[in-house]
Amino acid sequence: MTERLFEEKQHASLYQKYRFDPPDELKDLIIQYLDKKKGKPHQLAVDLGCGTGQNSRSLTKYFEQVVGIDVSESQVAEARAVSGFPNLSYRVGTAEELPFPDGSVDLLTAASAAHWFDAERFIKEAIRVLKPRGCLALFGYGDSMDIHFESCGDRLNNIYEDVKQILLPYTSSKVNVANSKLKDLFEAIPFPDKERIEIIPVKLQLSIKAVIGYFETFSMYQAYLRADPSAATALLERTTSRFLEEMKVSSTETKVDFIMEYYCVLACKPDFLTCTSLSKMAVRLFEDKEHANSYWKYRISPSEELIGKVLQFHRSNKNSANDLAVDVGCGSGQGTLLLAPHFTHVVGTDISPAQLGMGRKNVNIPNISYRESPAEELPFEDGSVDLVTAMSAFHWFDHSRFLQEAHRVLKPHGCLAVLNYTMDMELSYRDCSENLNHICNEFYAALRPFRNPYLGSSSFELYKKTYDSLQYPDIFWVKKTVALSGYVGMVESFSAFQALLKKDPEEARRLSQDIEQRLLRAMGATSSETEVIMGVKYFYFLACKPEND
């Protein structure tokens, strides 16, 4: 969790008193999904952001063991105070660092909590701890709620809208994620088997006191309370009085019909052979035959000069040899090909059979071979490799596990070279380059919402954040003359464009064609085969394994 808004003891007590148990309709939906995807036995369920334990308790009749986890010690203390559930325990912790072995959890749930998580880190942990066919269930309710009492329902709902407007300036952007019914988080889950249900109507009967207490548990109300305690307290008192006046009753125990709309995200982890390998799932964006062909046809490879810098570093290290180079995440093999003249053997590894097939089809060089394997489980003996490279692929790997594997397979004085380029390529053509690049930037901006969350906001920042102790050289420009269609084809091979293509093929094709036509008009050209100079900004880091480890 990235925000700590629910930790005060008083707030935790309000949670325990006024937050609702998940409705039976929702519990049945989740258990039926788990039964269908995984089947029994139901051994371990983990409830993340469990708060005061309402959802955790509801799971106990279905599982041998249930563990609730929350960042707030006060919330967990309130949950533990409820007795009568011998198979339920609680731990203080976060959704991004789960205290469970790989592949050990049947069901991960989060009730009205997932919007507070660091999405990227949470998804990685969920992938790690879930069993094959284990399930993820994230649910909550939006801010669309209706209150009904005899003939004054509309007036009661207007009062609720007034409360929301007052609290709006105190609403965290994280709450807006919840109100979107976790749409972006759903898109980021890299499981092919998933579904999102937006409307599950539920009707509760609540007293006016309970409705007001529920408002009091809102994070935005608590933020308002901290900013102006007297005004916040007055708001609840005034709202209570308005309810009683409109309903023409005197007791706050009078009940109303309270109608809510729940949403639910369900996902099932695939039954891969190596269930702990995040990269095997996260990079399965490049596997279809057409995408692999696009990769081979349009992806620009590092230049000979850039590879020369890698080789110069390799040669500068004492006792380096040129027997075996391994290009990890090789794709269709453009970078692998550049290593062949310099090593006795070169092996390209990738998890995509389609990509490897494209490399084998187009490259017939005796000292190059390809092997299917994840970056974190390289099929080479300890201390057997002279050079390990990862060209425009490292961001898809489990970083720490890949570096451990690279260290394992490298010889003493063997070298690691990680290269990548930024998305903001530049075009040059006669005197209209500035106009062309303005159009290109619009292309990139349109694709940015479809960028996979594993990539972060920018590739360079992702690499630098992971290796902030390393000094990066200046950006290295690779320039190549290509047909305009080649530039467009390269952008179409990006994962962001492919995500748009899967979601809305018509919009993806319209965007690509519109950009190409605008570029042609700016160039004063009619043919997409007109050549332009495409500049790609590479960055890289180099490391050498020491003699004595």
Side-chain angles (χ1 to χ4, degrees), residues 258-320:
F258 197 73
I259 300 174
M260 311 172 63
E261 290 182 355
Y262 276 82
Y263 59 85
C264 186
V265 168
L266 299 168
C268 176
K269 177 177 172 177
D271 194 7
F272 289 121
L273 292 177
T274 53
C275 65
T276 60
S277 177
L278 168 61
S279 65
K280 289 192 72 175
M281 288 176 280
V283 298
R284 294 198 177 272
L285 300 168
F286 309 94
E287 292 199 288
D288 59 85
K289 188 175 181 180
E290 185 176 347
H291 196 180
N293 184 60
S294 176
Y295 241 65
W296 172 257
K297 188 174 181 181
Y298 295 117
R299 280 282 170 136
I300 187 170
S301 59
S303 66
E304 295 278 0
E305 185 179 359
L306 182 52
I307 292 296
K309 290 183 177 292
V310 173
L311 296 173
Q312 182 181 6
F313 179 83
H314 177 64
R315 287 192 297 267
S316 70
N317 286 283
K318 183 181 177 182
N319 299 327
S320 64

Side-chain angles (χ1 to χ4, degrees), residues 380-442:
F380 303 99
E381 295 181 0
D382 296 358
S384 62
V385 179
D386 296 288
L387 174 69
V388 172
T389 62
M391 307 187 200
S392 306
F394 172 76
H395 42 278
W396 297 114
F397 304 163
D398 181 316
H399 299 162
S400 61
R401 292 181 60 214
F402 165 67
L403 291 177
Q404 291 171 4
E405 258 313 72
H407 184 78
R408 179 186 67 80
V409 303
L410 281 171
K411 298 175 182 177
H413 300 291
C415 294
L416 170 67
V418 176
L419 302 78
N420 196 25
Y421 53 82
T422 62
M423 183 178 177
D424 53 339
M425 300 172 296
E426 296 185 2
L427 298 183
S428 298
Y429 183 80
R430 296 181 181 173
D431 60 351
C432 62
S433 300
E434 184 176 348
N435 195 12
L436 295 183
N437 289 311
H438 177 74
I439 297 170
C440 291
N441 287 334
E442 291 185 24

